[in-house]
Amino acid sequence: MFDTLMILSLTILTVAILLNLFRLVRGPSNADRVQALDAIGINLISGIAIFSVFLHTHAFFELILLIGILSFIGTIAFARFIERGYAIERKR
Amino acid sequence: MSASAEVIAGIFIFVGTIISLISAIGLVRLPDVYTRSHAGSKSSTLGVLSVLVGTLLYFVISEGYFSIRLILGIVFVFLTAPVAAHVICRAAYRSNVPLTETSAEDQLKDYFEQQSKEVNE
């Protein structure tokens, strides 16, 4: 029963990621695409959490923190690039 | 002991994934970048927080294993997801992405025009 509920939750999460992927492909501006990538990263975090409950292991908890940090840094870098045309300032 | 853990974790995780699905539907159906950012940032953050709290409670109740890494992940996602949404919206506005036609007024545009007028004087 519990395993069935976990598989159902993973299915719903997959549908959510596919809808985000639609926005990633279709999005009219670049900010839409960065937004969709950020949402996909956040949904991947909850997918890993559901998998670690499903497999009864706590070996994957580092990955949650790691994907959170990487998704945040990537979003910030893309947003700076969209706004100013460069991501890291050059020292003169 | 294990049954109560399964019930509590199951409720939290299922509600969290439903909220994520609602966020994704909002991301598809809403008309412009700013409203989509509103849907995408708030409700997907709430969904992932619910799933992580469910995972934490499952391992605490069933095995007595309290994970500091999971707590750190919850705090980090809670702090950074709104900041990321703010930065994306700011970049979109600065790169002149238009608002949707049904939006009534744009107060930030008036503010920018007034500021540039003061600089010119």
Side-chain angles (χ1 to χ4, degrees):
Chain A
M1 181 62 197
F2 186 65
D3 290 349
T4 318
L5 188 63
M6 287 300 108
I7 290 176
L8 186 63
S9 301
L10 278 177
T11 313
I12 293 172
L13 208 62
T14 311
V15 174
I17 290 180
L18 285 179
L19 289 178
N20 285 336
L21 213 59
F22 169 77
R23 180 50 66 195
L24 178 67
V25 174
R26 177 74 188 283
S29 68
N30 281 332
D32 282 307
R33 299 196 168 93
V34 179
Q35 181 88 53
L37 273 179
D38 192 36
I40 287 176
I42 285 180
N43 283 338
L44 273 182
I45 292 175
S46 54
I48 291 173
I50 296 172
F51 251 110
S52 62
V53 171
F54 183 64
L55 299 175
H56 301 285
T57 174
H58 37 77
F60 301 137
F61 286 170
E62 289 94 349
L63 279 183
I64 291 172
L65 207 49
L66 196 64
I67 290 183
I69 294 171
L70 285 182
S71 160
F72 177 63
I73 292 175
T75 307
I76 295 296
F78 267 125
R80 282 175 71 103
F81 180 72
I82 289 172
E83 188 175 343
R84 311 179 186 178
Y86 53 83
I88 300 175
E89 275 182 83
R90 202 167 18 175
K91 287 251 174 70
R92 274 174 294 170
Chain B
M1 200 65 178
S2 177
S4 66
E6 288 186 354
V7 169
I8 294 172
I11 289 173
F12 268 102
I13 288 174
F14 191 67
V15 169
T17 51
I18 291 291
I19 294 173
S20 291
L21 181 66
I22 292 171
S23 156
I25 291 172
L27 213 61
V28 169
R29 283 189 54 93
L30 284 173
D32 70 344
V33 183
Y34 310 104
T35 50
R36 278 199 285 266
S37 163
H38 183 86
S41 68
K42 285 172 186 57
S43 43
S44 65
T45 307
L46 182 62
V48 74
L49 284 183
S50 175
V51 170
L52 289 181
V53 166
T55 311
L56 183 77
L57 287 179
Y58 178 78
F59 282 105
V60 165
I61 296 173
S62 70
E63 299 180 15
Y65 177 78
F66 187 80
S67 172
I68 286 296
R69 277 164 264 168
L70 214 48
I71 291 284
L72 271 179
I74 290 171
V75 171
F76 192 81
V77 170
F78 185 63
L79 284 182
T80 57
V83 177
H86 163 76
V87 172
I88 293 169
C89 269
R90 180 190 158 99
Y93 194 85
R94 294 285 170 95
S95 60
N96 296 322
V97 177
L99 272 71
T100 178
E101 284 148 11
T102 54
S103 62
E105 59 174 329
D106 189 358
Q107 290 186 332
L108 190 56
K109 191 178 174 187
D110 298 341
Y111 176 72
F112 276 148
E113 282 175 356
Q114 192 183 0
Q115 218 175 27
S116 63
K117 206 182 292 174
E118 282 174 3
V119 166
N120 288 333
E121 276 172 0

